Amino acid sequence: RGPWYDAADLACAGLGIGLAVSSVRLFANASAVLTLCAVALGAWGLASALRRSHIPGWLADTLHVGVGLMLILVIAAPTHRWAVLPTPQSVQAVVDAIGDDFGRFDKDVAPLVAGTGHLVVMVALVWILGLFNSTGAMRLRAPVQAVVPHLVAFVGLGFVARNEGRLVASVAMLTSVGLYALTQVAWRNAAHRWVPGRSNVPARS
């Protein structure tokens, strides 16, 4: 715990936001990018809260995935929900939306006007990557492995994105990865203070 732990945790949120902002190359409407930024913050916030609780890791991750799935179904298919819960019709409506939007994906050219199907897939991607990064970096202490899926997703989106917005996307992603790397290293160096015989110099550096 401590300030560097909190900074490293917050940088995990920045990583998700960086990936969300990089979708500006893919979507024509800014509302889609803002939606993905909100999803990145929500995924990180829930993961951070569950990690700081006394819930076992496997149960926390299961709850995180379950909450994300329920939110996607309820928000993407609001007319088919039962009170605040999704129904089988919600699942079918979301599947149909994904099929409709991606059925013509080979004919579409970025920037796209984000449809429900596009957003569902991107929201699911950002949500799962947020959970994976938070768990890998902060719980399992494997920061390099935890950031690889974000980098793969960033490169993968570049294959179907437009050239416009490339600078914004690159700066956002590189900045978020840089802050993530700095805070992860600082957090680990700060922990050396508690090891007998170790100097505080690495932490200050």
Side-chain angles (χ1 to χ4, degrees), residues 19 35-36 39-40 43 64-65 68-69 71-73 94 98 116-132 150:
L19 181 61
T35 298
L36 294 178
V39 169
H64 193 283
V65 172
L69 180 61
L71 287 175
I72 288 174
L73 292 175
V94 169
I98 294 173
T116 300
H118 296 139
L119 281 177
V120 165
V121 171
M122 287 297 298
V123 163
L125 175 67
V126 171
W127 188 271
I128 291 297
L129 290 186
L131 170 62
F132 182 86
H150 278 82

CSV table of all heavy atoms in Angstrom, one decimal, residues 19 35-36 39-40 43 64-65 68-69 71-73 94 98 116-132 150:
chain,number,residue,atom,x,y,z
A,19,LEU,N,-6.3,3.2,-24.6
A,19,LEU,CA,-6.8,2.4,-25.7
A,19,LEU,C,-8.2,2.9,-26.2
A,19,LEU,O,-8.4,2.8,-27.4
A,19,LEU,CB,-7.0,0.9,-25.1
A,19,LEU,CG,-7.5,-0.1,-26.1
A,19,LEU,CD1,-6.6,-0.3,-27.3
A,19,LEU,CD2,-7.7,-1.5,-25.4
A,35,THR,N,-17.8,7.0,-24.7
A,35,THR,CA,-18.5,5.8,-24.0
A,35,THR,C,-17.4,4.8,-23.7
A,35,THR,O,-17.4,4.2,-22.5
A,35,THR,CB,-19.5,5.1,-25.0
A,35,THR,OG1,-20.5,6.0,-25.3
A,35,THR,CG2,-20.0,3.9,-24.4
A,36,LEU,N,-16.4,4.5,-24.5
A,36,LEU,CA,-15.4,3.6,-24.2
A,36,LEU,C,-14.5,4.1,-23.1
A,36,LEU,O,-14.0,3.3,-22.3
A,36,LEU,CB,-14.5,3.3,-25.5
A,36,LEU,CG,-15.3,2.6,-26.6
A,36,LEU,CD1,-14.4,2.4,-27.8
A,36,LEU,CD2,-15.8,1.2,-26.2
A,39,VAL,N,-16.3,3.3,-20.0
A,39,VAL,CA,-16.2,1.9,-19.7
A,39,VAL,C,-14.9,1.5,-19.1
A,39,VAL,O,-14.8,0.7,-18.2
A,39,VAL,CB,-16.5,1.1,-21.0
A,39,VAL,CG1,-16.1,-0.4,-20.8
A,39,VAL,CG2,-17.9,1.2,-21.5
A,40,ALA,N,-13.8,2.1,-19.7
A,40,ALA,CA,-12.5,1.8,-19.1
A,40,ALA,C,-12.4,2.3,-17.7
A,40,ALA,O,-11.8,1.5,-16.8
A,40,ALA,CB,-11.4,2.6,-20.0
A,43,ALA,N,-14.5,-0.2,-15.6
A,43,ALA,CA,-13.9,-1.5,-15.4
A,43,ALA,C,-12.7,-1.4,-14.4
A,43,ALA,O,-12.6,-2.3,-13.5
A,43,ALA,CB,-13.3,-2.0,-16.7
A,64,HIS,N,-16.6,-9.5,-11.4
A,64,HIS,CA,-16.3,-8.4,-12.4
A,64,HIS,C,-16.8,-8.8,-13.8
A,64,HIS,O,-17.5,-8.0,-14.4
A,64,HIS,CB,-14.8,-8.2,-12.4
A,64,HIS,CG,-14.4,-7.0,-13.1
A,64,HIS,ND1,-14.3,-6.9,-14.5
A,64,HIS,CD2,-13.9,-5.8,-12.7
A,64,HIS,CE1,-13.9,-5.7,-14.9
A,64,HIS,NE2,-13.7,-5.0,-13.8
A,65,VAL,N,-16.6,-10.0,-14.2
A,65,VAL,CA,-17.1,-10.4,-15.5
A,65,VAL,C,-18.6,-10.5,-15.5
A,65,VAL,O,-19.2,-10.1,-16.5
A,65,VAL,CB,-16.5,-11.8,-15.9
A,65,VAL,CG1,-17.1,-12.4,-17.1
A,65,VAL,CG2,-15.0,-11.8,-16.0
A,68,GLY,N,-20.0,-6.9,-15.7
A,68,GLY,CA,-19.8,-6.4,-17.1
A,68,GLY,C,-20.8,-7.0,-18.1
A,68,GLY,O,-21.4,-6.3,-18.9
A,69,LEU,N,-21.0,-8.3,-18.0
A,69,LEU,CA,-21.9,-8.9,-19.0
A,69,LEU,C,-23.3,-8.4,-18.7
A,69,LEU,O,-24.1,-8.2,-19.7
A,69,LEU,CB,-21.9,-10.5,-18.7
A,69,LEU,CG,-22.8,-11.3,-19.6
A,69,LEU,CD1,-22.4,-11.1,-21.1
A,69,LEU,CD2,-22.7,-12.8,-19.3
A,71,LEU,N,-24.3,-5.5,-17.5
A,71,LEU,CA,-24.4,-4.2,-17.9
A,71,LEU,C,-24.5,-4.1,-19.4
A,71,LEU,O,-25.3,-3.3,-20.0
A,71,LEU,CB,-23.2,-3.3,-17.4
A,71,LEU,CG,-23.2,-3.0,-15.9
A,71,LEU,CD1,-21.9,-2.3,-15.6
A,71,LEU,CD2,-24.4,-2.2,-15.5
A,72,ILE,N,-23.7,-4.9,-20.1
A,72,ILE,CA,-23.7,-4.8,-21.6
A,72,ILE,C,-25.1,-5.2,-22.1
A,72,ILE,O,-25.7,-4.6,-23.0
A,72,ILE,CB,-22.7,-5.8,-22.2
A,72,ILE,CG1,-21.3,-5.2,-22.0
A,72,ILE,CG2,-22.9,-6.0,-23.7
A,72,ILE,CD1,-20.2,-6.1,-22.4
A,73,LEU,N,-25.7,-6.3,-21.6
A,73,LEU,CA,-27.0,-6.8,-22.0
A,73,LEU,C,-28.1,-5.8,-21.7
A,73,LEU,O,-29.0,-5.6,-22.5
A,73,LEU,CB,-27.3,-8.1,-21.4
A,73,LEU,CG,-26.4,-9.3,-21.8
A,73,LEU,CD1,-26.7,-10.6,-21.0
A,73,LEU,CD2,-26.6,-9.6,-23.3
A,94,VAL,N,-28.7,-8.6,-28.6
A,94,VAL,CA,-27.3,-8.2,-28.8
A,94,VAL,C,-26.6,-9.0,-29.8
A,94,VAL,O,-25.8,-8.5,-30.6
A,94,VAL,CB,-26.6,-8.4,-27.4
A,94,VAL,CG1,-25.1,-8.2,-27.6
A,94,VAL,CG2,-27.2,-7.4,-26.4
A,98,ILE,N,-24.9,-7.5,-33.2
A,98,ILE,CA,-23.5,-7.8,-33.6
A,98,ILE,C,-23.4,-8.3,-35.0
A,98,ILE,O,-22.6,-8.0,-35.9
A,98,ILE,CB,-22.8,-8.7,-32.6
A,98,ILE,CG1,-22.7,-8.0,-31.3
A,98,ILE,CG2,-21.5,-9.2,-33.2
A,98,ILE,CD1,-22.2,-9.0,-30.2
A,116,THR,N,-24.7,-0.4,-32.5
A,116,THR,CA,-24.8,-1.1,-31.2
A,116,THR,C,-23.9,-2.3,-31.2
A,116,THR,O,-23.2,-2.6,-30.2
A,116,THR,CB,-26.3,-1.6,-31.0
A,116,THR,OG1,-27.1,-0.5,-31.0
A,116,THR,CG2,-26.4,-2.4,-29.7
A,117,GLY,N,-23.8,-3.1,-32.3
A,117,GLY,CA,-22.9,-4.2,-32.4
A,117,GLY,C,-21.5,-3.9,-32.3
A,117,GLY,O,-20.7,-4.5,-31.5
A,118,HIS,N,-21.1,-2.8,-32.9
A,118,HIS,CA,-19.7,-2.3,-32.8
A,118,HIS,C,-19.3,-2.0,-31.4
A,118,HIS,O,-18.3,-2.4,-30.9
A,118,HIS,CB,-19.4,-1.1,-33.7
A,118,HIS,CG,-19.6,-1.3,-35.2
A,118,HIS,ND1,-20.3,-0.4,-36.0
A,118,HIS,CD2,-19.2,-2.4,-35.9
A,118,HIS,CE1,-20.3,-0.9,-37.2
A,118,HIS,NE2,-19.7,-2.1,-37.2
A,119,LEU,N,-20.2,-1.2,-30.7
A,119,LEU,CA,-20.0,-0.8,-29.4
A,119,LEU,C,-19.9,-2.0,-28.4
A,119,LEU,O,-19.1,-2.0,-27.5
A,119,LEU,CB,-21.0,0.2,-29.0
A,119,LEU,CG,-20.8,1.7,-29.5
A,119,LEU,CD1,-21.9,2.6,-29.1
A,119,LEU,CD2,-19.4,2.2,-29.0
A,120,VAL,N,-20.8,-2.9,-28.6
A,120,VAL,CA,-20.9,-4.1,-27.7
A,120,VAL,C,-19.5,-4.8,-27.7
A,120,VAL,O,-19.0,-5.2,-26.7
A,120,VAL,CB,-22.0,-5.0,-28.1
A,120,VAL,CG1,-21.9,-6.4,-27.4
A,120,VAL,CG2,-23.4,-4.4,-27.7
A,121,VAL,N,-19.0,-5.0,-28.9
A,121,VAL,CA,-17.7,-5.8,-29.0
A,121,VAL,C,-16.6,-4.9,-28.4
A,121,VAL,O,-15.7,-5.5,-27.7
A,121,VAL,CB,-17.4,-6.1,-30.5
A,121,VAL,CG1,-16.0,-6.6,-30.7
A,121,VAL,CG2,-18.5,-7.1,-31.0
A,122,MET,N,-16.6,-3.6,-28.7
A,122,MET,CA,-15.5,-2.8,-28.2
A,122,MET,C,-15.6,-2.6,-26.6
A,122,MET,O,-14.6,-2.6,-25.9
A,122,MET,CB,-15.5,-1.4,-28.8
A,122,MET,CG,-15.0,-1.4,-30.2
A,122,MET,SD,-13.3,-1.9,-30.4
A,122,MET,CE,-12.5,-0.6,-29.4
A,123,VAL,N,-16.8,-2.5,-26.1
A,123,VAL,CA,-17.0,-2.4,-24.7
A,123,VAL,C,-16.6,-3.7,-24.0
A,123,VAL,O,-15.9,-3.6,-23.0
A,123,VAL,CB,-18.5,-2.1,-24.4
A,123,VAL,CG1,-18.8,-2.4,-22.9
A,123,VAL,CG2,-18.8,-0.7,-24.7
A,124,ALA,N,-16.9,-4.8,-24.6
A,124,ALA,CA,-16.5,-6.1,-24.0
A,124,ALA,C,-15.0,-6.2,-24.0
A,124,ALA,O,-14.4,-6.7,-23.0
A,124,ALA,CB,-17.1,-7.3,-24.8
A,125,LEU,N,-14.3,-5.8,-25.1
A,125,LEU,CA,-12.9,-5.8,-25.2
A,125,LEU,C,-12.2,-4.9,-24.1
A,125,LEU,O,-11.3,-5.4,-23.4
A,125,LEU,CB,-12.4,-5.4,-26.6
A,125,LEU,CG,-10.9,-5.2,-26.8
A,125,LEU,CD1,-10.3,-6.6,-26.7
A,125,LEU,CD2,-10.6,-4.5,-28.1
A,126,VAL,N,-12.7,-3.7,-24.0
A,126,VAL,CA,-12.1,-2.8,-23.0
A,126,VAL,C,-12.4,-3.3,-21.6
A,126,VAL,O,-11.5,-3.2,-20.7
A,126,VAL,CB,-12.7,-1.3,-23.2
A,126,VAL,CG1,-12.3,-0.4,-22.1
A,126,VAL,CG2,-12.3,-0.8,-24.5
A,127,TRP,N,-13.5,-3.8,-21.3
A,127,TRP,CA,-13.9,-4.3,-20.0
A,127,TRP,C,-13.0,-5.5,-19.6
A,127,TRP,O,-12.4,-5.5,-18.5
A,127,TRP,CB,-15.3,-4.7,-19.9
A,127,TRP,CG,-15.8,-5.0,-18.6
A,127,TRP,CD1,-15.8,-6.2,-17.9
A,127,TRP,CD2,-16.4,-4.1,-17.6
A,127,TRP,NE1,-16.4,-6.1,-16.7
A,127,TRP,CE2,-16.7,-4.9,-16.5
A,127,TRP,CE3,-16.8,-2.8,-17.7
A,127,TRP,CZ2,-17.4,-4.3,-15.3
A,127,TRP,CZ3,-17.4,-2.2,-16.6
A,127,TRP,CH2,-17.7,-2.9,-15.4
A,128,ILE,N,-12.8,-6.4,-20.5
A,128,ILE,CA,-12.0,-7.6,-20.2
A,128,ILE,C,-10.5,-7.2,-20.0
A,128,ILE,O,-9.8,-7.7,-19.1
A,128,ILE,CB,-12.2,-8.7,-21.2
A,128,ILE,CG1,-13.6,-9.3,-21.2
A,128,ILE,CG2,-11.2,-9.8,-21.1
A,128,ILE,CD1,-13.9,-10.0,-19.8
A,129,LEU,N,-10.0,-6.4,-20.9
A,129,LEU,CA,-8.6,-6.0,-20.8
A,129,LEU,C,-8.4,-5.2,-19.5
A,129,LEU,O,-7.3,-5.3,-18.9
A,129,LEU,CB,-8.2,-5.1,-22.0
A,129,LEU,CG,-8.2,-5.9,-23.4
A,129,LEU,CD1,-7.6,-5.0,-24.5
A,129,LEU,CD2,-7.3,-7.1,-23.2
A,130,GLY,N,-9.4,-4.4,-19.1
A,130,GLY,CA,-9.2,-3.7,-17.9
A,130,GLY,C,-9.1,-4.6,-16.7
A,130,GLY,O,-8.3,-4.4,-15.8
A,131,LEU,N,-9.9,-5.6,-16.7
A,131,LEU,CA,-9.8,-6.6,-15.6
A,131,LEU,C,-8.5,-7.4,-15.7
A,131,LEU,O,-7.8,-7.6,-14.6
A,131,LEU,CB,-11.0,-7.6,-15.7
A,131,LEU,CG,-10.9,-8.9,-14.8
A,131,LEU,CD1,-10.9,-8.5,-13.4
A,131,LEU,CD2,-12.1,-9.8,-15.2
A,132,PHE,N,-8.1,-7.8,-16.9
A,132,PHE,CA,-6.9,-8.6,-17.0
A,132,PHE,C,-5.7,-7.7,-16.5
A,132,PHE,O,-4.8,-8.3,-15.8
A,132,PHE,CB,-6.7,-9.0,-18.5
A,132,PHE,CG,-5.4,-9.8,-18.7
A,132,PHE,CD1,-5.5,-11.2,-18.5
A,132,PHE,CD2,-4.3,-9.2,-19.1
A,132,PHE,CE1,-4.3,-11.9,-18.8
A,132,PHE,CE2,-3.1,-10.0,-19.3
A,132,PHE,CZ,-3.2,-11.3,-19.2
A,150,HIS,N,-3.2,-5.0,-24.2
A,150,HIS,CA,-3.5,-3.7,-24.6
A,150,HIS,C,-2.7,-3.3,-25.9
A,150,HIS,O,-3.3,-2.7,-26.8
A,150,HIS,CB,-3.2,-2.7,-23.5
A,150,HIS,CG,-4.3,-2.6,-22.5
A,150,HIS,ND1,-4.4,-3.5,-21.4
A,150,HIS,CD2,-5.3,-1.7,-22.3
A,150,HIS,CE1,-5.5,-3.2,-20.7
A,150,HIS,NE2,-6.0,-2.1,-21.2
